[in-house]
Amino acid sequence: MPEATSDSFVSVYEVGPRDGLQNETTILPVATKILLIQELIAAGIRRMEATSFVSPAWVPQLADADELCAQLPRKEGVSYSALCPNKRGLERALSARVPEVAVFVSASETHNKKNVNKSIAETLVAFQEVVGPATSLKLRVRGYVSTVWGCPYEGAVAPEAALRIAHQLRAMGCYQISLGDTIGIGNPRQTRDIVGLFLKEFAPHELALHMHDTRGSALANIVVAIDAGIRDFDASIGGMGGCPYAPGAAGNVATEDLVTMLHGMGLTTGLDEDRLIEAALYAERAVGRALPGKVHVAGRFVPRGISTSQGTDA
Ligand code: HMG
Ligand code: MG
């Protein structure tokens, strides 16, 4: 379940080890992934998608999911989740003893077929072997609806199609539905309309936003959702990631950027900005490329003071 909230508390669900690393060309050793996860926990992250129990042929970056889960740091209050597309995925999740799994389906047929090799209807049928059995074994199940803001293949997507799927996921037993702007195409007015539509039929805590930041609009979209009452957001440390089956998609909103903005707005997260910057710098070294997040590059804002000397400060 999302953490107990006050209206000013925002729950950040870290997806860097999953959504981030699934799209990196460098495949990290398990030990490096565990160090990244430790950095995230040290920064205060309490909800984290650690990996995926998907086909290793489809996502080789996460082929080590079973080994990784056996080594996850066990810490009071930290809850791990993993993507799980089918019965085989649930069997692996149960062996790995993760307390939460996430099912995923797109609102557009073409992306769904490219991503899981099934129609939307077939995917929802496959979930019957995941969601019910998992919840009856006391696992929490989260549901993703992807391509809500637009599909890389089909373009515009009717929000009502995503809404229908979200209803089905909730009826199966998903405790929260994360709405994905998979390719980072959304704008704030569209977000106002989509979130407004969902909030007529879902409570705010039943919804999260999963905003990829391909075009720099993720934070603007998140502000609109906060104003509408949403308090759950997915984020990826350093802004790593994307969906390998959504061409051109960049990573999720960077965790350190999101948290810096939220704290600046007077909202609380329980997260430590300095430690998030350290985690993002660690991620950058680990994947061996500059990551797109802003705050780990700029650093925390510290006023420089007003100079009393004449005209030397540009
Ligand atoms: P398929 O090829 O149609 O599967 O793939 P299949 O059922 O025909 O099985 C083929 C082989 O895969 C078999 O092995 C199965 O055992 C194996 P073989 O007999 O050939 O040796 N297999 C598995 N192995 C391990 N774990 C499993 C599993 N299932 C089957 N769970 C499948 C169908 C769903 C497996 C495949 O398409 C797949 O793994 N897709 C995952 C793609 C993916 O992970 N995409 C990225 C995540 S989604 C995302 O990023 C979006 C999100 O972030 C939200 C957003 O941004 O909007 C969540
Ligand atoms: Mg994603």
Side-chain angles (χ1 to χ4, degrees):
M1 290 289 159
E3 292 151 67
T5 59
S6 68
D7 192 49
S8 66
F9 182 80
V10 174
S11 181
V12 175
Y13 179 89
E14 173 64 42
V15 297
R18 192 281 299 173
D19 196 316
L21 296 182
Q22 76 181 8
N23 210 36
E24 289 296 326
T25 44
T26 309
I27 300 186
L28 301 188
V30 170
T32 309
K33 293 181 180 181
I34 295 290
L35 286 172
L36 173 62
I37 288 168
Q38 284 171 343
E39 289 282 337
L40 291 164
I41 292 172
I45 293 290
R46 294 295 175 262
R47 299 172 69 213
M48 190 184 326
E49 210 159 80
T51 188
S52 296
F53 293 112
V54 297
S55 158
W58 283 62
V59 185
Q61 292 89 335
L62 305 182
D64 57 11
D66 311 82
E67 194 188 339
L68 179 96
C69 286
Q71 297 178 38
L72 284 173
R74 303 287 163 197
K75 184 173 160 69
E76 181 74 28
V78 175
S79 177
Y80 298 106
S81 183
L83 283 195
C84 184
N86 54 19
K87 188 178 172 195
R88 172 88 187 96
L90 178 60
E91 287 163 1
R92 293 174 65 197
L94 290 171
S95 303
R97 303 173 72 85
V98 287
E100 178 168 331
V101 292
V103 293
F104 54 102
V105 58
S106 305
S108 55
E109 284 291 354
T110 314
H111 179 259
N112 199 66
K113 180 77 179 168
K114 299 265 185 195
N115 200 32
V116 292
N117 201 23
K118 289 184 183 62
S119 68
I120 294 171
E122 288 165 345
T123 305
L124 293 168
V125 169
F127 290 171
Q128 288 170 7
E129 295 187 311
V130 177
V131 186
T135 51
S136 65
L137 292 166
K138 307 278 181 246
L139 270 73
R140 291 183 303 272
V141 186
R142 198 171 192 245
Y144 282 102
V145 185
S146 294
T147 65
V148 178
W149 278 255
C151 171
Y153 304 100
E154 297 174 23
V157 173
E160 292 75 14
L163 185 64
R164 281 193 294 276
I165 294 170
H167 271 294
Q168 287 174 271
L169 294 177
R170 179 171 65 179
M172 283 183 200
C174 293
Y175 77 87
Q176 186 172 66
I177 314 298
S178 182
L179 305 176
D181 183 3
T182 314
I183 53 171
I185 194 78
N187 67 66
R189 290 196 176 160
Q190 188 187 10
T191 301
R192 180 192 60 196
D193 293 347
I194 290 171
V195 169
L197 178 73
F198 274 78
L199 284 174
K200 285 185 191 146
E201 298 177 36
F202 285 79
H205 72 269
E206 293 180 305
L207 299 171
L209 258 54
H210 176 100
M211 308 307 283
H212 284 268
D213 201 23
T214 318
R215 293 168 183 80
S217 55
L219 287 177
N221 288 318
I222 287 170
V223 169
V224 169
I226 288 170
D227 286 347
I230 304 287
R231 292 290 181 272
D232 284 83
F233 298 96
D234 300 357
S236 174
I237 195 71
M240 275 193 296
C243 174
Y245 298 100
N252 277 86
V253 64
T255 313
E256 67 278 15
D257 295 3
L258 173 65
V259 169
T260 300
M261 183 191 79
L262 294 172
H263 290 177
M265 291 168 72
L267 297 162
T268 60
T269 63
L271 300 173
D272 179 323
E273 292 176 39
D274 289 323
R275 296 303 301 255
L276 284 175
I277 290 173
E278 283 180 36
L281 293 172
Y282 179 81
E284 204 163 59
R285 288 194 300 277
V287 299
R289 71 175 181 102
L291 292 175
K294 299 276 189 291
V295 169
H296 76 271
V297 179
R300 282 190 78 182
F301 174 64
V302 180
R304 293 168 191 209
I306 299 166
S307 171
T308 50
S309 62
Q310 293 287 316
T312 48
D313 279 358

